[in-house]
């Protein structure tokens, strides 16, 4: 056989039959996921829902099923940006097969994803959550609620005053003029501004309130304090989880300054609406949340809706006295306190802290939704809803086929190899031990026990060093 050489420039064929183009071997996970989506009528349902938002004539648009599949790929591949998703789909043959795009056509560009997202309303994106009930996995007897903070696609340097429109440097310059540190019309240097700002911080005068400041690039974001102590512009994401099977029933993004107790009822009602849209007859009965959700009005509203709350009370040194509260409020709070004192309440709190936090880890950390690359509350909600829906699909695939992500097979192979190596080492150690026991039984005299009793030692006397005469050989 002769040696083949790679040509630097190749003559391209004028016509290439589509049958000769490579289709790729496909991927087990994405092939199974397409089967699940086909069983749920994913493409037909989305086309019927999206048809009112498109014209009846003109050039054919990108199918809605392709658009939603590409955003699902972002979660499964751990890609948080739309340009990265578009490049990955263009590069992979298995993803082209998952999207249904042949090799002779180009995959949608990231700008096309932006136009489709702006065209379709938020309600269409919520319909993707309805796929999870096709296998009858929703139980809904107990749900868990919790929230986390998301970083906005805006920096603190972009904040401006709501009343005057001044940025931070102009604001500091005006304060220095009011205190007489600089003359009117004088422009201080950046070092002077930083020293003055540091002095205000040491005196406790440096305060940035959402009532006075907003971001010029993302007005919907709010100034929040992240869990690591940094002050950042951000949003708040809240999950409602089915504690039986860990499916996300509701995933909403709101302003970062909204209190947990103020958004609990809205999130639970939204979760029940999603369950109704999914065609499930189940109803939410119990809600478990942490002590940040404890509020008299919130617990009373939940009781009026027929929900049993399991919310621990915040620590207090004083005993509560009921004076000006209605009797229904007092009874709802006392019933919640009694439920929390039982073993079931403590068990639901353990499940909530485990399963809801796990959903945040999947969506925000490995799913790439901790940092928002979009601006505006509605756009972020659309993107976050699809990441949550992709997480539900991954959990559905894990329960149905044993694979929750396309790279789960790699982890499974590594686990099998590690288990095989451990078993091999254990078997080798056991075989050596059996051989030594057999040899000891066959030749007992060769393995006599040695008596390790201590004997008195004789005193050591140092020997004198004897110097022998040496010769140089001369």
């Amino acid at each position: 056989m002769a040696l083949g050489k790679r040509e630097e420039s190749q003559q391209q064929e004028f016509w290439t039959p589509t049958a000769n183009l490579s289709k790729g071997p496909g991927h087990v996970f994405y092939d199974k996921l397409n089967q699940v989506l086909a069983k749920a009528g994913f493409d037909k349902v989305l086309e019927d829902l999206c048809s009112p938002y498109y014209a009846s004539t003109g050039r054919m648009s990108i199918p809605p099923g392709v658009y939603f599949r590409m955003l699902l790929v972002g979660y499964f591949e751990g890609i948080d940006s739309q340009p990265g998703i578009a490049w990955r789909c263009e590069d992979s043959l298995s993803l082209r097969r998952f999207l249904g795009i042949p090799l002779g056509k180009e995959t949608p560009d990231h700008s096309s994803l932006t136009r489709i997202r702006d065209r379709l309303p938020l309600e269409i994106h919520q319909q993707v959550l309805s796929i999870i009930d096709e296998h009858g996995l929703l139980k809904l007897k107990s749900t868990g609620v919790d929230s986390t903070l998301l970083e906005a696609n805006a920096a603190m340097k972009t904040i401006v005053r709501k009343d005057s429109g001044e940025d931070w440097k102009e604001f500091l310059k005006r304060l220095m003029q009011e205190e007489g540190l600089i003359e009117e019309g004088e422009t201080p240097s950046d070092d002077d501004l930083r020293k003055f700002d540091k002095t205000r911080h040491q005196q406790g005068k440096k305060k940035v309130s959402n009532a006075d400041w907003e971001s010029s690039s993302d007005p919907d974001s709010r100034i929040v304090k992240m869990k690591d102590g940094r002050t950042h512009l951000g949003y708040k994401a809240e999950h409602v989880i089915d504690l039986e099977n860990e499916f996300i029933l509701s995933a909403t993004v709101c302003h970062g300054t909204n209190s947990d107790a103020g958004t609990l009822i809205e999130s639970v009602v939204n979760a029940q609406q999603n369950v109704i849209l999914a065609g499930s007859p189940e109803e939410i009965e119990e809600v478990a949340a942490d002590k940040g959700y404890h509020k008299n009005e919130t617990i009373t509203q939940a009781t009026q809706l027929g929900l049993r709350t399991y919310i621990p009370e915040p620590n207090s040194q004083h005993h509560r006295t009921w004076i000006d509260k209605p009797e229904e409020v007092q009874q709802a709070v006392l019933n919640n306190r009694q439920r929390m004192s039982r073993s079931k309440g403590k068990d639901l709190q353990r499940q909530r802290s485990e399963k809801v936090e796990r959903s945040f880890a999947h969506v925000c950390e490995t799913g790439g939704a901790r940092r928002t690359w979009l601006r505006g509350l509605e756009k972020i909600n659309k993107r976050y809803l699809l990441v949550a829906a992709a997480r539900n699909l991954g959990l559905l695939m894990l329960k149905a086929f044993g694979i929750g992500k396309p790279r789960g097979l790699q982890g499974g192979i590594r686990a099998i190899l590690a288990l095989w190596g451990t078993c091999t080492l254990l078997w080798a150690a056991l075989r050596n031990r059996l051989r030594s026991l057999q040899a000891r039984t066959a030749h007992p005299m060769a393995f006599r026990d040695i008596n390790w009793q201590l004997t008195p030692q004789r005193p050591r006397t140092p020997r004198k060093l004897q110097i022998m005469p040496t010769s140089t050989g001369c």
Side-chain angles (χ1 to χ4, degrees):
M1 181 180 292
L3 176 65
K5 296 183 179 180
R6 181 181 179 274
E7 298 179 3
E8 296 296 332
S9 60
Q10 299 179 1
Q11 179 68 30
Q12 302 293 332
E13 296 184 5
F14 190 76
W15 299 104
T16 302
T18 56
N20 295 340
L21 296 177
S22 174
K23 297 181 180 179
H27 196 284
V28 177
F29 176 83
Y30 288 115
D31 292 343
K32 294 289 185 180
L33 181 57
N34 262 337
Q35 295 177 11
V36 173
L37 296 178
K39 182 179 179 181
F42 183 72
D43 296 276
K44 179 61 177 175
V45 171
L46 287 178
E47 290 171 3
D48 295 340
L49 291 173
C50 299
S51 59
Y53 304 96
Y54 287 88
S56 58
T57 59
R59 184 171 61 91
M60 302 299 292
S61 67
I62 298 172
V66 176
Y67 162 72
F68 284 101
R69 278 181 173 86
M70 289 184 69
L71 295 182
L72 296 179
V73 166
Y75 169 80
F76 292 126
E77 300 290 331
I79 306 173
D80 56 356
S81 63
Q82 290 183 172
I85 295 173
W87 179 87
R88 184 73 178 90
C89 294
E90 177 72 23
D91 182 67
S92 174
L93 292 177
S94 61
L95 290 181
R96 280 178 169 271
R97 184 171 177 175
F98 172 64
L99 299 176
I101 300 177
L103 193 60
K105 294 184 179 180
E106 293 185 356
T107 58
D109 190 68
H110 67 92
S111 59
S112 301
L113 300 181
T114 301
R115 288 194 294 269
I116 297 175
R117 185 189 63 243
D118 295 339
R119 178 189 295 271
L120 299 179
L122 182 63
E123 291 76 13
I124 302 297
H125 293 74
Q126 292 177 344
Q127 296 291 329
V128 186
L129 290 172
S130 62
I131 306 171
I132 58 178
D133 195 48
E134 292 295 327
H135 293 256
L137 296 176
L138 293 180
K139 302 302 179 183
L140 297 185
K141 183 178 180 181
S142 302
T143 58
V145 185
D146 206 349
S147 62
T148 187
L149 294 176
L150 308 178
E151 291 188 18
N153 189 20
M156 288 291 293
K157 295 180 180 180
T158 63
I159 59 175
V160 295
R161 296 279 300 182
K162 290 183 178 181
D163 51 0
S164 61
E166 298 174 324
D167 61 6
W168 190 253
K169 288 186 177 181
E170 294 175 352
F171 174 67
L172 291 178
K173 178 181 176 181
R174 180 168 60 85
L175 292 181
M176 292 179 70
Q177 291 177 357
E178 292 176 356
E179 294 186 8
L181 298 177
I182 59 174
E183 298 295 335
E184 187 175 355
E186 183 180 353
T187 302
S189 62
D190 293 341
D191 291 338
D192 295 337
L193 290 176
R194 281 191 291 267
K195 291 178 182 178
F196 178 71
D197 195 16
K198 186 177 181 180
T199 303
R200 293 180 63 247
H201 177 69
Q202 293 174 354
Q203 295 175 356
K205 298 180 181 180
K206 183 179 179 180
K207 296 181 180 179
V208 183
S209 173
N210 286 289
D212 301 328
W213 296 86
E214 68 177 359
S215 174
S216 60
S217 57
D218 190 4
D220 289 340
S221 61
R222 296 293 183 267
I223 302 172
V224 295
K225 189 173 183 180
M226 308 299 288
K227 290 187 177 181
D228 55 2
R230 295 179 297 128
T231 301
H232 206 282
L233 292 169
Y235 294 89
K236 188 185 82 167
E238 193 166 55
H239 287 187
V240 180
I241 303 293
D242 181 10
L243 294 181
E244 181 70 22
N245 288 313
E246 301 187 37
F247 286 110
I248 300 177
L249 306 177
S250 173
T252 56
V253 180
C254 56
H255 297 296
T257 54
N258 291 2
S259 64
D260 291 341
T263 58
L264 175 64
I265 300 299
E266 182 180 358
S267 297
V268 175
V269 171
N270 189 22
Q272 186 63 56
Q273 291 177 355
N274 292 336
V275 172
I276 294 174
L277 290 175
S280 175
E282 303 289 340
E283 294 184 0
I284 300 176
E285 300 178 3
E286 300 172 344
V287 178
D290 57 15
K291 60 183 179 181
Y293 287 86
H294 192 281
K295 190 178 180 181
N296 294 345
E297 292 78 4
T298 302
I299 296 177
T300 305
Q301 292 178 10
T303 304
Q304 293 173 354
L305 293 175
L307 300 173
R308 295 191 298 273
T309 58
Y310 293 85
I311 305 175
E313 296 185 37
N315 299 328
S316 177
Q317 299 178 355
H318 307 284
H319 183 71
R320 295 192 64 173
T321 57
W322 302 92
I323 299 177
D324 56 347
K325 301 295 181 182
E327 184 178 356
E328 58 179 2
V329 175
Q330 178 182 356
Q331 190 63 36
V333 174
L334 293 179
N335 290 340
N336 175 77
R337 182 187 300 175
Q338 186 178 8
R339 285 192 292 266
M340 279 305 304
S341 63
R342 301 171 183 169
S343 59
K344 180 180 179 180
K346 296 180 176 59
D347 181 62
L348 288 178
Q349 285 298 316
R350 285 192 294 268
Q351 293 186 41
R352 179 204 60 81
S353 60
E354 173 191 352
K355 298 179 180 180
V356 181
E357 293 297 334
R358 183 184 295 143
S359 70
F360 286 132
H362 290 168
V363 173
C364 298
E365 304 302 333
T366 59
R370 176 65 68 183
R371 171 67 184 268
T372 61
W373 297 105
L374 302 175
R375 293 173 179 175
L377 195 58
E378 184 178 0
K379 295 180 180 179
I380 295 174
N381 261 303
K382 292 177 182 179
R383 181 75 177 92
Y384 196 86
L385 270 172
L386 290 180
V387 177
R391 191 260 180 185
N392 283 347
L393 285 175
L395 188 59
L396 176 62
M397 295 288 292
L398 181 63
K399 293 181 179 296
F401 305 105
I403 308 172
K405 272 195 172 184
R407 298 185 181 182
L409 288 174
Q410 299 175 359
I413 294 174
R414 290 195 187 99
I416 293 173
L417 293 177
L419 181 60
W420 175 259
T422 304
C423 294
T424 303
L425 293 175
L426 290 176
W427 171 246
L430 181 61
R431 184 176 56 187
N432 293 335
R433 180 62 177 170
L434 291 175
R435 287 178 178 176
S436 64
L437 291 176
Q438 293 174 358
R440 185 184 294 270
T441 305
H443 306 282
M445 297 299 295
F447 297 90
R448 290 181 300 176
D449 296 333
I450 302 175
N451 188 9
W452 297 99
Q453 294 182 359
L454 295 177
T455 57
Q457 297 181 358
R458 293 177 296 176
R460 280 187 71 181
T461 57
R463 297 182 179 178
K464 293 182 179 181
L465 183 61
Q466 297 181 359
I467 301 176
M468 303 296 295
T470 58
S471 173
T472 60
C474 296

